[in-house]
Amino acid sequence: MNHLPSAPTLCDLAAAFGYTVEGAADAAETVITGVAGLDEAGPTELTFLSNPRYAAKARTTRAAAIIVSQGVATEGLPCPVVRAPDAYLAFARIAGWFYRPPLPPPGIHPTAVIAPSARLGVGVSVGPYVVVGENVVLGDRVRLFAHTVIYDGARIGDACQLHAHVVIREQVELGCRVIVHNHVTIGCDGFGYAKRPDGSWEKIPQAGRVIIEDDVEIGAGTQIDRPSVGETRIRRGAKLDNLVQIGHAVEVGEDTLLCAQVGIAGSATIGSRVILAGQVGVAGHLTIGDGVTALAQSGIPNDVPAGRQIAGYPAVDRRQWLRVSAAQARLPELLKQVQNLEARLKALELAALEKDTSRKG
């Protein structure tokens, strides 16, 4: 939103993003200096309300205005509201205008090592101690932060950002506008070994490729393996959190979210718009359909049809898992009841036996 003034008013912001302001007319001319949470926002900052559980906090906020979704009641709120189709998305967009991460200017640092055969696009920034290998192609406006290493033959598309200590291995291909955070390795060897007759292991050469499509973001410490043959592919718009492990020959679909510490074993196929919450584990050689959601710490050993919500290990339908979890909390009580019933039954059997013995006597 480059047409916004440097000190936008509430009306300026709402109009620029296609939202409407409801509330006091004079407040709509308040200059907005930033965004913050409901508790922290001050009289020149925007906040948002997307979860009804925080409605009480919204009634005591000091913010200049609150972003709310269509249809949300605003009675009792202490300030004007910005009405948007989706409050959370609106907050993200406005926050993105206020916060723009610092980017290094174009140029090549004198400590960088760039192979003669590498091809660099327009406006590239190469930071301190970066190493760029033979036949590497860097698109326009690529930014390589300090200590990044690009192996031979890799291709990096336009407007990519690779933060400090990223390693891009040989023949890896990144699309445009890919963001790779610190200490990520893309294209490391997949985990493949064949057992020799004596029980030792023969390494299987990992000669395949890794392809990262446009608009993917990869969190810090994530590792993406290359396969022995074929490719590992992360499709357009996928977002990977920190410390995610992607095995060899995995395919991750468009706009899929993989949260922290997700692990996907080799040759698994993950559909589009899938959400795997924190610490989900996926076995190899299976398929997870489009639109699946797996709750945190789920273990997925088998194929999952599209659109399912799953949880637990082995992962089952979310509603079934919730019932099992509720029953599990009652297990000590149920065990005690069973023990009491067994004791009563044993007492009844003993009494019947004594009665029978007495009658025979």
Side-chain angles (χ1 to χ4, degrees), residues 79 121 129 150 155 168 184 191 210 237 242 269 273 297-298 340:
C79 56
Y129 302 103
I150 314 294
R155 301 177 66 90
I168 306 297
V184 167
F191 192 69
V210 177
N242 301 336
T269 299
R273 300 175 302 283
Q297 297 187 326
S298 298
N340 289 337

Side-chain angles (χ1 to χ4, degrees), residues 310-327:
I310 57 175
Y313 181 81
V316 295
D317 182 81
R318 180 182 66 88
R319 289 167 295 184
Q320 179 182 346
W321 177 78
L322 290 173
R323 290 194 296 269
V324 169
S325 298

